[in-house]
Amino acid sequence: MGAPGMTTTILNTMEMLKPRQLKPDSMETERIITVLDETIAKLEMSSLIPRIITSLDRFANMLGPEITENLMEHQKLSNKMENLLSSLEEGDTVRAQEQQVCLRLLEQQLKCSVRNVLRLLPNNPLLCHTLKYGGWERGEPAQVFINAFREFRTFILERLLTSPVEEEEKIQFMDDISLRIKKNTETITALQAELAAAIQTREEEIHKKDNVIKDLKTSMQDLTKDYKADIQQIKQEGEKQQEAELQASQARCAVLEQDIEGLGAQLKALVLEHRASEVALRKRKCRLEMEIVNWMQKYDADMGEKQ
């Protein structure tokens, strides 16, 4: 459970950032939002004009002659605009200027055509309902623009419903949050650096232990090879000696074999000892990693409560 101060901070944060409701007596705000909503509705309708034009047969029963005529005129202007844009010439200055004049004229005509279509569409409620709830897909650029305008509408509403004092408090609050985030980030960076240094130190220690074990194994192998060579030489010399010296040679071999067994036992004990040390080090490393993960999770949980 968090501290009472932390709970109060979280509640203040939620209160500061939650959306405000439209006030009944804010007539100017209502008018501005109404204009923005009407603009969004017109944007949605205008973005579907190309879909209507390509489906005139489908809407033949609900489209009147006036709307149909305006849509066809809009289609002609759109085709002219596309042809003009595809035939723009950059080399001929005079020709380019004439094309720019035609382009501006077509832009004005297209704007007027869109306004005429949008003026006529509200007179056909059935068509408007079909367009609004018919699941028509808009082009990606148009949808992106409409979404951006909706965000603009939300932003304007928030600004209109926020007093200067509330705005100043919110700015100060966000500055405080940014400062806390900066401090927490610096703390995390320092902890990560400390963690990396600790891991590096542990890895170096383990590497040193591995090198020691490797050297010991090499030394034991060399000793074993040397003793085997000595035994072979003794056996060869014993074969050359007289029969009287055979028993003495066999006794020496027995003594040497006992020495080899003792050294082998020592080697086995050393290997087991170093293996146990290695296992302990690896367990300690795993335990440290788990503690680090737990600390990070605890830190994330604390940060979640703070936020």
Side-chain angles (χ1 to χ4, degrees):
M1 297 295 292
M6 180 62 65
T7 304
T8 303
T9 302
I10 294 175
L11 293 176
N12 292 336
T13 302
M14 296 173 63
E15 182 67 24
M16 180 73 68
L17 299 179
K18 71 178 182 180
R20 295 174 174 80
Q21 299 297 325
L22 187 64
K23 300 177 182 178
D25 58 346
S26 56
M27 296 300 298
E28 293 182 357
T29 300
E30 292 181 356
R31 290 172 182 172
I32 293 172
I33 298 303
T34 300
V35 171
L36 293 176
D37 290 337
E38 291 177 355
T39 303
I40 293 173
K42 290 181 179 179
L43 287 173
E44 293 176 343
M45 287 295 179
S46 62
S47 64
L48 293 176
I49 290 177
R51 298 290 186 182
I52 303 174
I53 293 174
T54 56
S55 304
L56 288 177
D57 295 338
R58 175 181 176 183
F59 296 104
N61 295 330
M62 64 180 68
L63 287 174
E66 187 176 7
I67 297 180
T68 303
E69 182 180 354
N70 279 271
L71 289 173
M72 295 177 65
E73 180 65 23
H74 180 79
Q75 179 65 18
K76 292 178 181 179
L77 292 174
S78 299
N79 293 335
K80 288 182 180 179
M81 176 68 75
E82 292 178 359
N83 295 332
L84 182 59
L85 289 175
S86 62
S87 63
L88 287 177
E89 299 180 2
E90 298 181 358
D92 190 349
T93 305
V94 177
R95 177 63 177 167
Q97 291 178 352
E98 292 177 354
Q99 289 177 336
Q100 291 296 329
V101 173
C102 294
L103 184 62
R104 287 194 292 270
L105 179 60
L106 278 174
E107 288 178 353
Q108 294 298 326
Q109 292 176 348
L110 275 172
K111 291 178 182 179
C112 293
S113 176
V114 172
R115 283 197 295 268
N116 290 335
V117 174
L118 293 177
R119 177 177 54 82
L120 294 172
L121 284 178
N123 297 330
N124 195 328
L126 179 59
L127 177 60
C128 292
H129 184 274
T130 302
L131 294 175
K132 186 173 182 180
Y133 300 102
W136 292 70
E137 293 184 359
R138 301 178 176 84
E140 184 178 356
Q143 190 61 52
V144 170
F145 181 77
I146 292 173
N147 293 338
F149 200 87
R150 289 183 183 278
E151 294 178 0
F152 173 74
R153 184 256 190 202
T154 303
F155 172 76
I156 291 298
L157 176 61
E158 181 69 18
R159 292 299 300 270
L160 290 173
L161 297 180
T162 304
S163 65
V165 175
E166 292 173 337
E167 183 69 20
E168 184 177 356
E169 291 178 353
K170 183 180 290 186
I171 293 173
Q172 182 62 41
F173 176 77
M174 297 306 296
D175 290 340
D176 294 340
I177 293 296
S178 300
L179 181 60
R180 292 182 183 179
I181 293 174
K182 181 179 179 181
K183 291 181 178 179
N184 291 333
T185 303
E186 293 175 353
T187 303
I188 292 173
T189 303
L191 289 173
Q192 288 177 344
E194 184 178 352
L195 172 62
I199 293 175
Q200 182 66 26
T201 302
R202 296 301 178 188
E203 290 180 351
E204 290 176 356
E205 291 179 356
I206 293 174
H207 183 67
K208 289 180 181 179
K209 294 290 185 181
D210 291 339
N211 290 335
V212 171
I213 293 172
K214 185 177 179 181
D215 293 340
L216 288 173
K217 288 181 178 180
T218 303
S219 299
M220 295 300 101
Q221 290 175 357
D222 294 339
L223 287 173
T224 303
K225 290 179 181 179
D226 293 341
Y227 278 104
K228 286 182 179 180
D230 291 341
I231 293 172
Q232 185 66 25
Q233 183 178 1
I234 291 171
K235 287 182 178 180
Q236 291 176 356
E237 292 177 354
E239 291 176 357
K240 295 178 181 180
Q241 290 177 355
Q242 298 178 359
E243 184 177 0
E245 297 178 354
L246 182 58
Q247 294 180 355
S249 177
Q250 291 178 349
R252 287 186 61 193
C253 288
V255 173
L256 290 174
E257 287 178 354
Q258 290 179 357
D259 293 338
I260 291 172
E261 291 179 356
L263 290 173
Q266 292 179 7
L267 173 61
K268 185 176 180 181
L270 286 174
V271 170
L272 292 175
E273 180 182 354
H274 286 291
R275 285 182 179 175
S277 176
E278 181 181 359
V279 170
L281 288 174
R282 293 185 181 277
K283 289 183 178 179
R284 186 176 181 185
K285 178 184 177 182
C286 293
R287 186 170 63 254
L288 287 174
E289 291 177 349
M290 290 299 297
E291 291 179 358
I292 291 168
V293 170
N294 292 334
W295 276 108
M296 293 296 293
Q297 292 177 349
K298 183 177 182 299
Y299 177 79
D300 290 340
D302 292 341
M303 287 302 300
E305 292 184 2
K306 293 180 180 179
Q307 294 178 355

